[in-house]
Short mmCIF file of all heavy atoms in Angstrom, two decimals:
data_model
loop_
_atom_site.label_atom_id
_atom_site.label_comp_id
_atom_site.label_asym_id
_atom_site.label_seq_id
_atom_site.Cartn_x
_atom_site.Cartn_y
_atom_site.Cartn_z
N MET A 664 0.82 -1.15 0.01
CA MET A 664 0.00 -0.01 0.02
C MET A 664 0.93 1.16 -0.03
O MET A 664 1.88 1.32 0.60
CB MET A 664 -0.88 0.02 1.22
CG MET A 664 -1.91 -1.05 1.32
SD MET A 664 -2.96 -1.08 2.83
CE MET A 664 -2.89 0.43 3.50
N SER A 665 0.56 2.27 -0.74
CA SER A 665 1.31 3.41 -0.74
C SER A 665 0.38 4.66 -0.68
O SER A 665 -0.77 4.68 -1.14
CB SER A 665 2.21 3.53 -1.98
OG SER A 665 1.40 3.69 -3.10
N ILE A 666 0.94 5.79 -0.15
CA ILE A 666 0.31 7.03 0.05
C ILE A 666 1.21 8.07 -0.54
O ILE A 666 2.35 8.09 -0.13
CB ILE A 666 -0.09 7.30 1.64
CG1 ILE A 666 -0.99 6.22 2.09
CG2 ILE A 666 -0.61 8.70 1.76
CD1 ILE A 666 -1.07 6.19 3.67
N LYS A 667 0.74 8.90 -1.44
CA LYS A 667 1.53 10.01 -1.96
C LYS A 667 1.30 11.19 -0.94
O LYS A 667 0.21 11.52 -0.63
CB LYS A 667 1.08 10.42 -3.29
CG LYS A 667 1.83 11.50 -3.96
CD LYS A 667 1.42 11.82 -5.35
CE LYS A 667 2.24 12.89 -6.04
NZ LYS A 667 1.83 13.15 -7.39
N VAL A 668 2.49 11.77 -0.49
CA VAL A 668 2.49 12.79 0.42
C VAL A 668 3.12 14.06 -0.21
O VAL A 668 4.33 13.93 -0.81
CB VAL A 668 3.15 12.39 1.72
CG1 VAL A 668 3.17 13.56 2.77
CG2 VAL A 668 2.67 11.21 2.34
N ARG A 669 2.46 15.16 -0.05
CA ARG A 669 2.93 16.46 -0.69
C ARG A 669 3.07 17.43 0.39
O ARG A 669 2.29 17.51 1.38
CB ARG A 669 1.99 16.87 -1.79
CG ARG A 669 1.91 15.86 -2.91
CD ARG A 669 1.12 16.30 -4.10
NE ARG A 669 1.87 17.25 -4.76
CZ ARG A 669 1.32 18.02 -5.69
NH1 ARG A 669 0.09 18.07 -5.96
NH2 ARG A 669 2.15 18.96 -6.25
N TYR A 670 4.07 18.35 0.24
CA TYR A 670 4.45 19.36 1.24
C TYR A 670 4.39 20.72 0.35
O TYR A 670 4.81 20.77 -0.70
CB TYR A 670 5.81 19.32 1.83
CG TYR A 670 5.97 17.99 2.40
CD1 TYR A 670 6.72 16.87 1.66
CD2 TYR A 670 5.59 17.66 3.67
CE1 TYR A 670 6.98 15.78 2.30
CE2 TYR A 670 5.87 16.41 4.30
CZ TYR A 670 6.60 15.46 3.59
OH TYR A 670 6.81 14.18 4.18
N PHE A 671 3.75 21.74 1.02
CA PHE A 671 3.53 23.01 0.32
C PHE A 671 4.21 24.19 1.18
O PHE A 671 4.29 24.07 2.36
CB PHE A 671 2.08 23.27 0.04
CG PHE A 671 1.51 22.39 -0.95
CD1 PHE A 671 0.88 21.21 -0.53
CD2 PHE A 671 1.53 22.76 -2.26
CE1 PHE A 671 0.23 20.39 -1.52
CE2 PHE A 671 0.94 21.98 -3.34
CZ PHE A 671 0.43 20.74 -2.88
N ALA A 672 4.64 25.15 0.34
CA ALA A 672 5.19 26.42 0.91
C ALA A 672 6.23 26.26 1.90
O ALA A 672 7.17 25.50 1.55
CB ALA A 672 3.86 27.29 1.58
N SER A 673 6.17 26.76 3.10
CA SER A 673 7.28 26.66 4.14
C SER A 673 7.56 25.24 4.44
O SER A 673 8.66 24.86 4.89
CB SER A 673 7.08 27.69 5.14
OG SER A 673 5.88 27.25 5.95
N LEU A 674 6.47 24.46 4.45
CA LEU A 674 6.81 23.00 4.90
C LEU A 674 7.57 22.28 3.90
O LEU A 674 8.46 21.39 4.28
CB LEU A 674 5.41 22.24 4.97
CG LEU A 674 4.58 22.79 6.10
CD1 LEU A 674 3.19 22.05 6.12
CD2 LEU A 674 5.17 22.84 7.53
N LYS A 675 7.55 22.63 2.64
CA LYS A 675 8.45 22.03 1.56
C LYS A 675 9.80 22.44 1.88
O LYS A 675 10.75 21.62 1.84
CB LYS A 675 7.95 22.66 0.24
CG LYS A 675 8.78 22.22 -0.92
CD LYS A 675 8.26 22.93 -2.19
CE LYS A 675 9.13 22.69 -3.41
NZ LYS A 675 8.58 23.46 -4.61
N GLU A 676 10.09 23.61 2.25
CA GLU A 676 11.42 24.12 2.59
C GLU A 676 11.95 23.50 3.91
O GLU A 676 13.04 22.97 4.06
CB GLU A 676 11.47 25.63 2.74
CG GLU A 676 11.20 26.33 1.49
CD GLU A 676 11.01 27.81 1.62
OE1 GLU A 676 11.33 28.41 2.74
OE2 GLU A 676 10.50 28.38 0.68
N LEU A 677 11.03 23.28 4.90
CA LEU A 677 11.36 22.65 6.19
C LEU A 677 11.90 21.16 5.99
O LEU A 677 12.92 20.73 6.52
CB LEU A 677 10.18 22.71 7.17
CG LEU A 677 10.39 22.04 8.43
CD1 LEU A 677 11.37 22.86 9.37
CD2 LEU A 677 9.00 21.87 9.23
N VAL A 678 11.14 20.43 5.19
CA VAL A 678 11.50 19.02 4.98
C VAL A 678 12.44 18.80 3.92
O VAL A 678 13.10 17.75 3.90
CB VAL A 678 10.32 18.13 4.74
CG1 VAL A 678 9.24 18.21 5.97
CG2 VAL A 678 9.54 18.38 3.57
N GLY A 679 12.63 19.83 3.06
CA GLY A 679 13.70 19.71 2.05
C GLY A 679 13.26 18.92 0.79
O GLY A 679 14.09 18.58 -0.05
N ARG A 680 11.97 18.75 0.56
CA ARG A 680 11.47 18.06 -0.61
C ARG A 680 10.00 18.42 -0.77
O ARG A 680 9.32 18.90 0.14
CB ARG A 680 11.71 16.50 -0.51
CG ARG A 680 11.02 15.99 0.64
CD ARG A 680 11.54 14.51 0.97
NE ARG A 680 10.93 14.01 2.14
CZ ARG A 680 11.22 14.24 3.37
NH1 ARG A 680 12.28 15.04 3.66
NH2 ARG A 680 10.66 13.66 4.39
N SER A 681 9.48 18.22 -1.92
CA SER A 681 8.06 18.66 -2.26
C SER A 681 7.14 17.37 -1.98
O SER A 681 5.98 17.68 -1.84
CB SER A 681 7.92 19.19 -3.62
OG SER A 681 8.29 18.20 -4.63
N GLU A 682 7.61 16.18 -2.17
CA GLU A 682 6.78 14.95 -1.95
C GLU A 682 7.53 13.78 -1.49
O GLU A 682 8.73 13.69 -1.71
CB GLU A 682 5.90 14.67 -3.22
CG GLU A 682 6.67 14.50 -4.50
CD GLU A 682 5.74 14.24 -5.68
OE1 GLU A 682 5.03 15.18 -6.02
OE2 GLU A 682 5.67 13.21 -6.16
N ASP A 683 6.73 12.85 -0.96
CA ASP A 683 7.18 11.50 -0.66
C ASP A 683 6.17 10.56 -1.04
O ASP A 683 5.03 10.75 -1.35
CB ASP A 683 7.33 11.47 0.95
CG ASP A 683 8.59 12.05 1.49
OD1 ASP A 683 9.67 11.84 0.95
OD2 ASP A 683 8.48 12.84 2.44
N LYS A 684 6.67 9.23 -1.02
CA LYS A 684 5.81 8.05 -1.19
C LYS A 684 5.98 7.16 0.09
O LYS A 684 7.02 6.82 0.36
CB LYS A 684 6.14 7.35 -2.50
CG LYS A 684 5.24 6.19 -2.86
CD LYS A 684 5.68 5.58 -4.05
CE LYS A 684 4.66 4.33 -4.37
NZ LYS A 684 5.11 3.88 -5.74
N LEU A 685 4.94 7.17 0.74
CA LEU A 685 4.88 6.39 2.02
C LEU A 685 4.31 4.87 1.84
O LEU A 685 3.16 4.85 1.39
CB LEU A 685 4.06 7.12 3.05
CG LEU A 685 3.97 6.45 4.43
CD1 LEU A 685 5.44 6.36 4.98
CD2 LEU A 685 3.17 7.33 5.31
N LEU A 686 5.08 3.89 2.07
CA LEU A 686 4.58 2.57 1.99
C LEU A 686 4.08 2.06 3.33
O LEU A 686 4.99 2.17 4.38
CB LEU A 686 5.76 1.61 1.48
CG LEU A 686 6.35 2.05 0.13
CD1 LEU A 686 7.47 1.00 -0.27
CD2 LEU A 686 5.30 1.91 -0.95
N VAL A 687 2.92 1.67 3.45
CA VAL A 687 2.28 1.26 4.81
C VAL A 687 1.58 -0.08 4.53
O VAL A 687 1.21 -0.34 3.47
CB VAL A 687 1.42 2.32 5.13
CG1 VAL A 687 2.10 3.68 5.48
CG2 VAL A 687 0.18 2.54 4.25
N SER A 688 1.40 -0.72 5.75
CA SER A 688 0.65 -2.03 5.67
C SER A 688 -0.73 -1.92 6.28
O SER A 688 -1.51 -2.87 6.11
CB SER A 688 1.46 -3.07 6.47
OG SER A 688 1.60 -2.67 7.82
N ALA A 689 -1.04 -0.68 6.80
CA ALA A 689 -2.37 -0.45 7.28
C ALA A 689 -2.64 1.06 7.38
O ALA A 689 -1.69 1.88 7.29
CB ALA A 689 -2.42 -1.04 8.79
N PRO A 690 -3.84 1.38 7.31
CA PRO A 690 -4.21 2.83 7.48
C PRO A 690 -3.49 3.41 8.70
O PRO A 690 -3.32 2.83 9.71
CB PRO A 690 -5.71 2.92 7.59
CG PRO A 690 -6.22 1.63 7.06
CD PRO A 690 -5.16 0.58 7.35
N LEU A 691 -3.20 4.79 8.53
CA LEU A 691 -2.62 5.46 9.60
C LEU A 691 -3.16 7.01 9.65
O LEU A 691 -3.80 7.27 8.64
CB LEU A 691 -1.14 5.37 9.63
CG LEU A 691 -0.39 6.25 8.50
CD1 LEU A 691 1.11 6.25 8.84
CD2 LEU A 691 -0.70 5.71 7.17
N SER A 692 -2.88 7.61 10.64
CA SER A 692 -3.36 9.07 10.76
C SER A 692 -2.33 9.92 9.91
O SER A 692 -1.19 9.63 9.72
CB SER A 692 -3.47 9.53 12.24
OG SER A 692 -2.08 9.68 12.66
N ALA A 693 -2.78 11.11 9.56
CA ALA A 693 -1.97 12.03 8.95
C ALA A 693 -0.79 12.45 9.75
O ALA A 693 0.34 12.55 9.29
CB ALA A 693 -2.79 13.38 8.52
N ARG A 694 -1.07 12.61 11.09
CA ARG A 694 0.07 12.89 12.03
C ARG A 694 1.10 11.75 12.00
O ARG A 694 2.34 12.10 12.04
CB ARG A 694 -0.52 13.13 13.39
CG ARG A 694 0.45 13.67 14.47
CD ARG A 694 -0.19 13.71 15.82
NE ARG A 694 -1.41 14.34 15.89
CZ ARG A 694 -1.60 15.76 15.94
NH1 ARG A 694 -0.53 16.47 15.97
NH2 ARG A 694 -2.79 16.28 15.87
N ALA A 695 0.67 10.54 11.98
CA ALA A 695 1.54 9.41 12.04
C ALA A 695 2.36 9.30 10.84
O ALA A 695 3.47 8.96 10.78
CB ALA A 695 0.81 8.12 12.29
N ALA A 696 1.71 9.65 9.67
CA ALA A 696 2.46 9.74 8.35
C ALA A 696 3.58 10.68 8.38
O ALA A 696 4.62 10.44 7.94
CB ALA A 696 1.46 10.08 7.27
N TRP A 697 3.22 11.90 8.98
CA TRP A 697 4.38 12.85 9.06
C TRP A 697 5.46 12.39 10.00
O TRP A 697 6.53 12.56 9.57
CB TRP A 697 3.69 14.16 9.68
CG TRP A 697 4.83 15.23 9.96
CD1 TRP A 697 5.68 15.22 11.07
CD2 TRP A 697 5.12 16.36 9.26
NE1 TRP A 697 6.64 16.29 11.10
CE2 TRP A 697 6.36 17.04 9.94
CE3 TRP A 697 4.63 16.90 8.15
CZ2 TRP A 697 6.80 18.22 9.43
CZ3 TRP A 697 5.20 18.07 7.61
CH2 TRP A 697 6.25 18.70 8.28
N GLN A 698 5.11 11.82 11.03
CA GLN A 698 6.15 11.30 11.91
C GLN A 698 7.14 10.20 11.42
O GLN A 698 8.21 10.14 11.48
CB GLN A 698 5.51 10.78 13.18
CG GLN A 698 5.03 11.95 14.06
CD GLN A 698 4.11 11.46 15.20
OE1 GLN A 698 3.59 10.35 15.28
NE2 GLN A 698 3.82 12.34 16.15
N GLN A 699 6.45 9.33 10.60
CA GLN A 699 7.18 8.28 9.85
C GLN A 699 8.15 8.82 8.77
O GLN A 699 9.29 8.40 8.67
CB GLN A 699 6.16 7.13 9.16
CG GLN A 699 5.66 6.29 10.19
CD GLN A 699 4.93 5.18 9.56
OE1 GLN A 699 5.24 4.75 8.37
NE2 GLN A 699 3.97 4.57 10.16
N LEU A 700 7.67 9.84 8.12
CA LEU A 700 8.41 10.44 7.04
C LEU A 700 9.46 11.34 7.50
O LEU A 700 10.48 11.67 6.90
CB LEU A 700 7.54 11.10 6.02
CG LEU A 700 6.71 10.08 5.25
CD1 LEU A 700 5.53 10.89 4.36
CD2 LEU A 700 7.59 9.25 4.28
N ASN A 701 9.25 12.07 8.67
CA ASN A 701 10.10 13.12 9.15
C ASN A 701 10.36 12.92 10.71
O ASN A 701 10.02 13.61 11.47
CB ASN A 701 9.42 14.43 8.94
CG ASN A 701 9.02 14.68 7.56
OD1 ASN A 701 9.89 14.96 6.73
ND2 ASN A 701 7.75 14.60 7.21
N PRO A 702 10.98 11.74 10.97
CA PRO A 702 11.24 11.42 12.48
C PRO A 702 12.10 12.40 13.16
O PRO A 702 11.99 12.52 14.43
CB PRO A 702 11.81 10.03 12.33
CG PRO A 702 12.50 9.93 10.97
CD PRO A 702 11.63 10.74 10.06
N GLU A 703 12.87 13.19 12.42
CA GLU A 703 13.76 14.15 13.06
C GLU A 703 13.11 15.49 13.25
O GLU A 703 13.71 16.35 13.87
CB GLU A 703 15.09 14.29 12.26
CG GLU A 703 14.87 15.02 10.95
CD GLU A 703 14.23 14.25 9.83
OE1 GLU A 703 13.97 13.11 10.01
OE2 GLU A 703 14.14 14.85 8.75
N LEU A 704 11.94 15.71 12.71
CA LEU A 704 11.30 17.00 12.74
C LEU A 704 9.89 16.93 13.47
O LEU A 704 9.06 16.12 12.94
CB LEU A 704 10.89 17.48 11.30
CG LEU A 704 12.16 17.82 10.48
CD1 LEU A 704 11.71 18.15 8.98
CD2 LEU A 704 12.89 18.99 11.01
N ASN A 705 9.69 17.71 14.43
CA ASN A 705 8.35 17.85 15.05
C ASN A 705 7.44 18.58 14.06
O ASN A 705 7.90 19.52 13.38
CB ASN A 705 8.41 18.64 16.34
CG ASN A 705 9.08 17.86 17.33
OD1 ASN A 705 9.03 16.68 17.51
ND2 ASN A 705 9.88 18.56 18.22
N MET A 706 6.18 18.12 13.90
CA MET A 706 5.28 18.93 13.12
C MET A 706 5.06 20.28 13.67
O MET A 706 4.70 20.40 14.87
CB MET A 706 3.92 18.17 13.00
CG MET A 706 2.93 18.78 12.11
SD MET A 706 1.36 17.95 12.18
CE MET A 706 1.73 16.49 11.11
N PRO A 707 5.23 21.27 12.83
CA PRO A 707 4.99 22.60 13.34
C PRO A 707 3.43 22.89 13.79
O PRO A 707 2.63 22.22 13.43
CB PRO A 707 5.34 23.59 12.08
CG PRO A 707 6.12 22.74 11.22
CD PRO A 707 5.65 21.29 11.41
N ASP A 708 3.34 23.80 14.59
CA ASP A 708 1.93 24.09 15.16
C ASP A 708 1.08 24.51 13.97
O ASP A 708 1.53 25.27 13.09
CB ASP A 708 2.05 25.10 16.21
CG ASP A 708 2.76 24.73 17.54
OD1 ASP A 708 2.67 23.52 17.76
OD2 ASP A 708 3.25 25.55 18.18
N ALA A 709 -0.15 24.21 14.13
CA ALA A 709 -1.24 24.75 13.13
C ALA A 709 -1.07 24.27 11.68
O ALA A 709 -1.64 24.81 10.83
CB ALA A 709 -1.27 26.23 13.24
N VAL A 710 -0.29 23.09 11.47
CA VAL A 710 -0.24 22.62 10.15
C VAL A 710 -1.66 22.17 9.78
O VAL A 710 -2.37 21.54 10.61
CB VAL A 710 0.73 21.43 10.07
CG1 VAL A 710 0.59 20.59 8.87
CG2 VAL A 710 2.12 22.03 10.14
N LEU A 711 -2.04 22.37 8.47
CA LEU A 711 -3.20 21.85 7.97
C LEU A 711 -2.87 20.57 7.07
O LEU A 711 -1.84 20.61 6.44
CB LEU A 711 -3.88 22.85 7.01
CG LEU A 711 -4.20 24.22 7.71
CD1 LEU A 711 -4.66 25.30 6.79
CD2 LEU A 711 -5.15 24.01 8.79
N ALA A 712 -3.91 19.72 7.08
CA ALA A 712 -3.80 18.56 6.15
C ALA A 712 -4.99 18.34 5.34
O ALA A 712 -6.09 18.74 5.72
CB ALA A 712 -3.49 17.28 6.96
N ALA A 713 -4.83 17.77 4.17
CA ALA A 713 -5.93 17.32 3.17
C ALA A 713 -5.63 16.00 2.62
O ALA A 713 -4.41 15.64 2.41
CB ALA A 713 -5.96 18.48 2.12
N VAL A 714 -6.68 15.30 2.46
CA VAL A 714 -6.65 13.95 1.72
C VAL A 714 -7.53 14.14 0.45
O VAL A 714 -8.64 14.49 0.65
CB VAL A 714 -7.13 12.90 2.64
CG1 VAL A 714 -7.32 11.58 1.79
CG2 VAL A 714 -6.03 12.58 3.65
N ASN A 715 -6.93 13.79 -0.66
CA ASN A 715 -7.60 13.92 -1.92
C ASN A 715 -8.34 15.24 -2.05
O ASN A 715 -9.56 15.35 -2.45
CB ASN A 715 -8.52 12.74 -2.10
CG ASN A 715 -7.81 11.44 -1.83
OD1 ASN A 715 -6.60 11.29 -2.41
ND2 ASN A 715 -8.35 10.46 -1.35
N MET A 716 -7.72 16.36 -1.69
CA MET A 716 -8.08 17.76 -1.72
C MET A 716 -9.19 18.20 -0.90
O MET A 716 -9.89 19.13 -1.08
CB MET A 716 -8.52 18.00 -3.37
CG MET A 716 -7.37 17.78 -4.27
SD MET A 716 -8.00 18.24 -5.93
CE MET A 716 -6.55 18.59 -6.66
N SER A 717 -9.49 17.44 0.12
CA SER A 717 -10.39 17.81 1.21
C SER A 717 -9.71 17.83 2.53
O SER A 717 -9.01 16.98 2.95
CB SER A 717 -11.48 16.75 1.28
OG SER A 717 -12.25 16.75 0.07
N TYR A 718 -9.96 18.95 3.35
CA TYR A 718 -9.29 19.13 4.54
C TYR A 718 -9.72 18.09 5.50
O TYR A 718 -10.86 17.63 5.52
CB TYR A 718 -9.51 20.51 5.15
CG TYR A 718 -8.78 21.72 4.46
CD1 TYR A 718 -9.40 22.55 3.61
CD2 TYR A 718 -7.35 21.76 4.65
CE1 TYR A 718 -8.71 23.48 3.03
CE2 TYR A 718 -6.70 22.79 4.04
CZ TYR A 718 -7.33 23.69 3.23
OH TYR A 718 -6.63 24.61 2.62
N ILE A 719 -8.73 17.64 6.34
CA ILE A 719 -9.07 16.63 7.29
C ILE A 719 -8.44 17.06 8.64
O ILE A 719 -7.54 17.91 8.66
CB ILE A 719 -8.52 15.27 6.95
CG1 ILE A 719 -6.95 15.29 6.85
CG2 ILE A 719 -9.15 14.78 5.70
CD1 ILE A 719 -6.18 13.94 6.75
N GLU A 720 -8.78 16.37 9.77
CA GLU A 720 -8.16 16.48 11.02
C GLU A 720 -6.90 15.65 10.99
O GLU A 720 -6.76 14.73 10.35
CB GLU A 720 -9.02 16.05 12.16
CG GLU A 720 -10.37 16.77 12.26
CD GLU A 720 -10.05 18.26 12.75
OE1 GLU A 720 -9.19 18.59 13.58
OE2 GLU A 720 -10.90 19.08 12.24
N LEU A 721 -5.75 16.13 11.75
CA LEU A 721 -4.54 15.42 11.76
C LEU A 721 -4.69 14.01 12.25
O LEU A 721 -3.74 13.25 11.82
CB LEU A 721 -3.43 16.27 12.45
CG LEU A 721 -3.10 17.58 11.86
CD1 LEU A 721 -2.21 18.31 12.80
CD2 LEU A 721 -2.49 17.32 10.51
N ASP A 722 -5.65 13.70 13.03
CA ASP A 722 -5.86 12.38 13.49
C ASP A 722 -6.69 11.47 12.58
O ASP A 722 -7.10 10.38 12.93
CB ASP A 722 -6.34 12.35 14.90
CG ASP A 722 -5.37 12.94 15.83
OD1 ASP A 722 -4.06 12.74 15.67
OD2 ASP A 722 -5.65 13.65 16.84
N SER A 723 -7.24 11.96 11.54
CA SER A 723 -8.09 11.33 10.58
C SER A 723 -7.12 10.26 9.80
O SER A 723 -5.90 10.49 9.52
CB SER A 723 -8.58 12.18 9.52
OG SER A 723 -9.51 13.12 10.13
N GLU A 724 -7.80 9.17 9.46
CA GLU A 724 -7.04 8.03 8.78
C GLU A 724 -6.85 8.42 7.37
O GLU A 724 -7.55 8.99 6.66
CB GLU A 724 -7.91 6.69 8.82
CG GLU A 724 -7.78 5.95 9.98
CD GLU A 724 -8.29 4.59 9.91
OE1 GLU A 724 -8.98 4.21 8.90
OE2 GLU A 724 -8.08 3.81 10.86
N VAL A 725 -5.57 7.93 6.91
CA VAL A 725 -5.11 7.97 5.50
C VAL A 725 -5.09 6.61 5.08
O VAL A 725 -4.46 5.67 5.77
CB VAL A 725 -3.88 8.77 5.39
CG1 VAL A 725 -3.42 8.94 3.97
CG2 VAL A 725 -4.06 10.11 6.09
N ARG A 726 -5.43 6.31 3.84
CA ARG A 726 -5.52 4.90 3.33
C ARG A 726 -4.69 4.68 2.02
O ARG A 726 -4.36 5.69 1.35
CB ARG A 726 -6.97 4.50 3.05
CG ARG A 726 -7.77 4.53 4.32
CD ARG A 726 -9.27 4.17 4.03
NE ARG A 726 -9.97 4.25 5.22
CZ ARG A 726 -10.14 3.18 6.06
NH1 ARG A 726 -9.57 2.11 5.82
NH2 ARG A 726 -10.81 3.24 7.16
N ASP A 727 -4.46 3.54 1.66
CA ASP A 727 -3.84 3.16 0.54
C ASP A 727 -4.40 3.94 -0.82
O ASP A 727 -5.61 3.99 -0.92
CB ASP A 727 -3.96 1.68 0.12
CG ASP A 727 -3.27 1.19 -1.13
OD1 ASP A 727 -2.25 1.71 -1.49
OD2 ASP A 727 -3.75 0.24 -1.73
N GLY A 728 -3.52 4.54 -1.52
CA GLY A 728 -3.97 5.28 -2.70
C GLY A 728 -4.37 6.58 -2.53
O GLY A 728 -4.49 7.41 -3.49
N ASP A 729 -4.45 7.12 -1.30
CA ASP A 729 -4.70 8.52 -1.02
C ASP A 729 -3.56 9.44 -1.35
O ASP A 729 -2.37 9.07 -1.27
CB ASP A 729 -5.06 8.77 0.49
CG ASP A 729 -6.40 8.18 0.79
OD1 ASP A 729 -7.26 8.04 -0.07
OD2 ASP A 729 -6.69 8.10 2.07
N GLU A 730 -3.96 10.71 -1.62
CA GLU A 730 -2.89 11.76 -1.66
C GLU A 730 -3.13 12.62 -0.39
O GLU A 730 -4.12 13.25 -0.32
CB GLU A 730 -3.00 12.56 -2.96
CG GLU A 730 -1.97 13.65 -3.09
CD GLU A 730 -2.07 14.47 -4.26
OE1 GLU A 730 -1.44 14.04 -5.32
OE2 GLU A 730 -2.73 15.46 -4.32
N LEU A 731 -2.04 12.71 0.37
CA LEU A 731 -1.98 13.42 1.62
C LEU A 731 -1.18 14.66 1.39
O LEU A 731 -0.07 14.61 0.97
CB LEU A 731 -1.58 12.69 2.72
CG LEU A 731 -1.26 13.27 4.01
CD1 LEU A 731 -2.45 13.88 4.64
CD2 LEU A 731 -0.54 12.28 5.05
N ALA A 732 -1.75 15.83 1.70
CA ALA A 732 -1.03 17.10 1.61
C ALA A 732 -0.90 17.83 2.91
O ALA A 732 -1.87 17.88 3.65
CB ALA A 732 -1.75 17.99 0.47
N PHE A 733 0.28 18.40 3.12
CA PHE A 733 0.42 19.31 4.36
C PHE A 733 0.65 20.70 3.89
O PHE A 733 1.48 20.99 3.04
CB PHE A 733 1.68 18.75 5.10
CG PHE A 733 1.46 17.46 5.76
CD1 PHE A 733 2.09 16.24 5.31
CD2 PHE A 733 0.70 17.34 6.89
CE1 PHE A 733 1.88 15.06 5.86
CE2 PHE A 733 0.50 16.04 7.53
CZ PHE A 733 1.12 14.93 7.01
N PHE A 734 -0.07 21.62 4.62
CA PHE A 734 0.05 23.12 4.32
C PHE A 734 0.29 23.87 5.61
O PHE A 734 -0.22 23.48 6.69
CB PHE A 734 -1.25 23.52 3.87
CG PHE A 734 -1.82 22.91 2.74
CD1 PHE A 734 -2.66 21.77 2.82
CD2 PHE A 734 -1.65 23.45 1.46
CE1 PHE A 734 -3.12 21.10 1.67
CE2 PHE A 734 -2.20 22.75 0.24
CZ PHE A 734 -2.98 21.62 0.46
N PRO A 735 1.08 24.91 5.49
CA PRO A 735 1.26 25.78 6.64
C PRO A 735 -0.08 26.50 6.90
O PRO A 735 -0.81 26.68 5.93
CB PRO A 735 2.54 26.68 6.25
CG PRO A 735 2.40 26.68 4.79
CD PRO A 735 1.92 25.37 4.37
N PRO A 736 -0.22 27.13 8.11
CA PRO A 736 -1.45 27.93 8.32
C PRO A 736 -1.53 29.15 7.34
O PRO A 736 -0.45 29.70 6.96
CB PRO A 736 -1.30 28.38 9.75
CG PRO A 736 0.12 27.99 10.03
CD PRO A 736 0.63 27.03 9.17
N VAL A 737 -2.65 29.40 6.90
CA VAL A 737 -2.81 30.43 5.95
C VAL A 737 -3.22 31.77 6.69
O VAL A 737 -3.97 31.79 7.54
CB VAL A 737 -3.92 30.14 4.93
CG1 VAL A 737 -4.21 31.38 3.97
CG2 VAL A 737 -3.58 29.00 4.18
N THR A 738 -2.43 32.88 6.41
CA THR A 738 -2.65 34.19 7.07
C THR A 738 -2.89 35.25 5.99
O THR A 738 -2.53 35.02 4.79
CB THR A 738 -1.60 34.52 7.97
OG1 THR A 738 -0.33 34.79 7.25
CG2 THR A 738 -1.42 33.52 9.11
N GLY A 739 -3.34 36.30 6.37
CA GLY A 739 -3.54 37.37 5.51
C GLY A 739 -4.86 38.14 5.71
O GLY A 739 -5.66 37.80 6.57
N GLY A 740 -5.12 39.12 4.89
CA GLY A 740 -6.35 39.87 5.12
C GLY A 740 -6.92 40.42 3.82
O GLY A 740 -6.59 40.06 2.67
#
């Protein structure tokens, strides 16, 4: 099973790449996916996640074939 993981904006710079492919044997949360792919980096506060272009909670499950995206918080006016 594989999950495509994408990083945007400052998160792309933080992890040093724009995407990963995560091989898993069972569904896992978005937060657990981050931890497996970036064990040396704590997830920054207020990170947003989306699966297949829909925002999700960080503890929501991600499954085989999903595209998981991480975004920094959006600010502006």
Side-chain angles (χ1 to χ4, degrees):
M664 295 184 8
S665 69
I666 298 167
K667 183 177 182 179
V668 180
R669 302 183 73 194
Y670 306 97
F671 290 91
S673 61
L674 297 178
K675 178 179 168 181
E676 295 172 16
L677 177 67
V678 301
R680 57 196 181 277
S681 61
E682 60 184 58
D683 279 311
K684 184 175 184 179
L685 179 62
L686 301 176
V687 295
S688 58
L691 72 168
S692 70
R694 186 183 312 275
W697 174 281
Q698 291 169 340
Q699 283 192 24
L700 291 167
N701 304 289
E703 73 286 355
L704 294 173
N705 290 326
M706 180 183 284
D708 292 337
V710 165
L711 302 172
V714 168
N715 303 327
M716 300 179 153
S717 295
Y718 285 108
I719 62 167
E720 298 293 326
L721 292 173
D722 293 324
S723 297
E724 277 194 350
V725 184
R726 300 176 180 275
D727 180 35
D729 284 343
E730 180 179 274
L731 170 62
F733 290 106
F734 304 88
V737 178
T738 60

